[in-house]
Amino acid sequence: MTKYDYDLFVIGAGSGGVRAARIAANYGARVAVAEEYRVGGTCVIRGCVPKKLFVYASHFADEFEDAAGFGWTVEGARFDWKTLIGNKDKEIDRLNGIYIRNLQNAGVEIIESRATVVDAHKVRLEATGREVTAERILIAVGAMPFLPEIPGIEHAITSNEAFHLEELPGRVVVVGGGYIAVEFAGIFNGLGARTMQLYRGPLFMRGFDDDLRTLLAEEMSKKGVDLRMDADIKAIGKKDGELHLTLTNGDVIKTDAVMYATGRVPNTKGLGLEAAGVKLGKNGEVIVDEYSQTSVPSIYAVGDVTGRANLTPVAIREGHAFADTVYGGRKVKVDHSIIPTAVFSQPELGTVGLTEALARARHPEIDLYKTSFRAMKNTLSGSQERTFMKLVVDAQSDRVLGVHLMGPGSGELIQAVGIAVTMGATKAQFDATIAVHPTAAEELVTLRDKWRPPAA
Ligand SMILES: Cc1cc2nc3c(=O)[nH]c(=O)nc-3n(C[C@H](O)[C@H](O)[C@H](O)COP(=O)(O)OP(=O)(O)OC[C@H]3O[C@@H](n4cnc5c(N)ncnc54)[C@H](O)[C@@H]3O)c2cc1C
């Protein structure tokens, strides 16, 4: 018996914490996990899962319209927000139950409380004030939405509240330019709200390939989202039940709801980490080494709180690698260099590897292959939505450095393409793969001509 209450104390039962706790317990460790809200964390309770359910809901408007070209008449189609929220809540409760059972089956003790760090081996349970000791502590507290300090910000919502609105707002303004902002703009727009999106820079989706950024803006505008770049709010007022947003250029926009999706900050405030000697970065993220160990050897951190790549599969991988390394007797590092990812915007994006800009910066010569077309379904539906595909190839080695997709199914597609890119596939190997016909994806293996900039 060790001198500690637990071998491992995990703070936060989200994607990273749950995986680490379960695997460590499977290896025989005595594990407890503290959760201050709901087991499952952001992804399951108020992130990826409910978001994707909303995205499905919002697609039906387009589907009903598209159906007409195929001979269907859909009469009396109506959308009911409360039904969607109720059914979504049931599904989240079901998943929450599964997460709880999985932890219990692995022998992990679940403690419903906020927990803070007292020192290298001690945690305080805020619900009761009890202090417990552990040989190791894992910080897996995730991140929370960032809200700027402007007058009237208390009238704004974030994605957290968007999942529980009483009514679908008639008009909504989404502020932000990252993937959560574009996804919610698409959701609100698809469900019938008059939707505006504001972004303070010249073009949203910074960090994504520039072609995807430009084309997504075009397609979202075509679908009816009122996109305003170089625009920001300096104050929010409320009059007669309406919100009045005063922009930095002086314009005033009237709306029913304003949702901020302007980034997320690590949940380290008041956690006691600095007093315990754990080094934090400038945004409050926990600084870790390649094995997720912090500057205090008995304290580790995984997931969004480390600010490495804020995605569920990354948090899960980091949690699993931590458990393998510390309790499984094999050192495992997570490779963050190639991360396939999807954006459930409308149209959807899928991307893996280097953007054109990064590839140019890192490789002496690159080749580009691009195609843009109306998908077959749109010939009869009449939809003007375009599909886009781009390969970024290292001219010297022929290796495919990046793949960037926009169009239906891009999220599903990029998972499979991600395998090839992670394995180091060359353009010649893409070309040698027999096409699947008729699909949009076949374009990926039939792109013969290098893209050249149009003559001036
Ligand atoms: C709207 C939205 C959509 C998203 N969509 C996607 C997507 O499509 N794909 C994708 O890969 N990722 C998506 N993400 C990101 C994804 O949710 C996160 O990357 C992931 O949840 C990170 O896991 P984590 O374990 O680091 O933290 P979390 O899952 O955030 O878990 C942290 C947990 O710790 C708890 N906690 C915090 N502080 C304490 C404390 N002091 N004591 C006790 N408990 C505490 C929190 O309540 C939370 O349950 C989305 C996020 C949002 C907000």
Side-chain angles (χ1 to χ4, degrees):
M1 210 59 187
T2 73
K3 57 185 174 153
Y4 301 107
D5 298 327
Y6 302 99
D7 296 325
L8 173 65
F9 196 97
V10 180
I11 306 183
S15 307
V18 166
R19 176 58 69 93
R22 271 201 313 112
I23 304 302
N26 287 343
Y27 283 129
R30 294 170 309 134
V31 185
V33 58
E35 170 55 52
E36 68 176 355
Y37 184 53
R38 295 185 72 187
V39 172
T42 303
C43 181
V44 176
I45 308 294
R46 47 191 181 184
C48 337
V49 175
K51 182 268 309 275
K52 186 92 188 273
L53 294 174
F54 279 18
V55 171
Y56 284 127
S58 65
H59 270 291
F60 283 98
D62 276 353
E63 295 290 334
F64 292 142
E65 220 168 275
D66 290 352
F70 292 89
W72 287 93
T73 304
V74 184
E75 274 164 7
R78 274 183 297 114
F79 169 68
D80 181 51
W81 174 258
K82 286 199 162 65
T83 304
L84 173 64
I85 296 289
N87 288 342
K88 178 267 295 175
D89 286 345
K90 265 189 235 151
E91 174 58 9
I92 302 307
D93 288 348
R94 189 182 73 85
L95 294 174
N96 172 240
I98 291 175
Y99 272 75
I100 291 172
R101 277 197 299 283
N102 284 347
L103 281 171
Q104 288 168 340
N105 291 343
V108 175
E109 182 182 338
I110 302 172
I111 301 172
E112 289 177 20
S113 172
R114 175 173 171 78
T116 51
V117 174
V118 178
D119 64 30
H121 297 283
K122 197 182 283 173
V123 167
R124 182 182 154 83
L125 304 172
E126 300 293 335
T128 55
R130 186 163 68 99
E131 293 187 344
V132 296
T133 58
E135 186 180 14
R136 293 188 186 85
I137 298 169
L138 178 69
I139 309 298
V141 293
M144 62 192 279
F146 166 78
L147 282 168
E149 285 178 15
I150 57 166
I153 195 68
E154 67 277 8
H155 300 304
I157 60 165
T158 67
S159 55
N160 287 351
E161 294 76 35
F163 292 119
H164 301 284
L165 290 174
E166 286 287 314
E167 306 282 343
L168 174 68
R171 298 164 297 176
V172 61
V173 175
V174 178
V175 189
Y179 78 91
I180 295 174
V182 295
E183 289 175 341
F184 270 91
I187 289 167
F188 286 125
N189 185 54
L191 293 179
R194 258 172 52 205
T195 307
M196 179 184 281
Q197 184 178 350
L198 306 178
Y199 176 58
R200 66 180 177 183
L203 185 58
F204 64 12
M205 298 297 280
R206 211 154 47 92
F208 285 79
D209 188 83
D210 287 340
D211 279 324
L212 284 191
R213 297 168 74 194
T214 311
L215 292 168
L216 179 64
E218 280 174 25
E219 292 298 326
M220 285 178 66
S221 300
K222 278 202 289 200
K223 285 182 188 290
V225 178
D226 183 356
L227 278 181
R228 311 265 180 108
M229 307 292 172
D230 291 316
D232 204 359
I233 299 173
K234 78 175 174 211
I236 305 172
K238 194 167 187 179
K239 235 195 250 163
D240 306 326
E242 262 188 342
L243 297 179
H244 292 210
L245 315 179
T246 307
L247 303 192
T248 42
N249 69 1
D251 285 357
V252 175
I253 291 160
K254 294 180 184 171
T255 185
D256 301 309
V258 56
M259 177 184 141
Y260 271 78
T262 43
R264 293 175 60 81
V265 282
N267 262 331
T268 48
K269 209 169 154 199
L271 202 58
L273 288 173
E274 277 160 308
V278 175
K279 285 208 179 77
L280 303 184
K282 67 178 183 344
N283 297 320
E285 74 279 15
V286 180
I287 296 175
V288 289
D289 69 9
E290 53 200 4
Y291 295 105
S292 296
Q293 194 169 27
T294 73
S295 51
V296 174
S298 60
I299 302 182
Y300 291 73
V302 295
D304 284 9
V305 74
T306 63
R308 286 176 282 188
N310 291 3
L311 292 166
T312 280
V314 177
I316 291 174
R317 212 30 104 77
E318 289 168 359
H320 204 126
F322 155 78
D324 282 343
T325 302
V326 176
Y327 298 102
R330 62 193 185 103
K331 292 188 113 188
V332 181
K333 286 184 206 169
V334 177
D335 178 2
H336 294 89
S337 65
I338 299 182
I339 300 176
T341 187
V343 177
F344 298 99
S345 47
Q346 297 176 41
E348 197 167 297
L349 306 182
T351 176
V352 64
L354 298 184
T355 62
E356 177 184 339
L358 273 181
R360 282 196 195 288
R362 293 186 194 171
H363 294 263
E365 204 188 328
I366 61 163
D367 292 328
L368 299 175
Y369 297 83
K370 300 191 202 186
T371 178
S372 165
F373 54 95
R374 268 173 83 202
M376 190 186 199
K377 186 179 169 197
N378 294 343
T379 54
L380 297 202
S381 77
S383 163
Q384 296 303 310
E385 181 182 298
R386 296 196 74 77
T387 292
F388 173 77
M389 297 183 179
K390 174 173 181 177
L391 302 186
V392 180
V393 179
D394 177 28
Q396 277 171 0
S397 64
D398 197 39
R399 186 173 168 175
V400 177
L401 302 171
V403 178
H404 308 284
L405 312 175
M406 180 184 78
S410 290
E412 301 290 340
L413 196 49
I414 207 67
Q415 182 66 84
V417 175
I419 300 171
V421 175
T422 304
M423 289 174 73
T426 60
K427 176 69 168 66
Q429 288 169 324
F430 270 57
D431 295 346
T433 306
I434 291 180
V436 178
H437 185 73
T439 63
E442 67 186 302
E443 295 286 329
L444 283 172
V445 297
T446 54
L447 281 167
R448 298 277 171 247
D449 298 325
K450 283 179 200 166
W451 180 83
R452 309 229 172 272

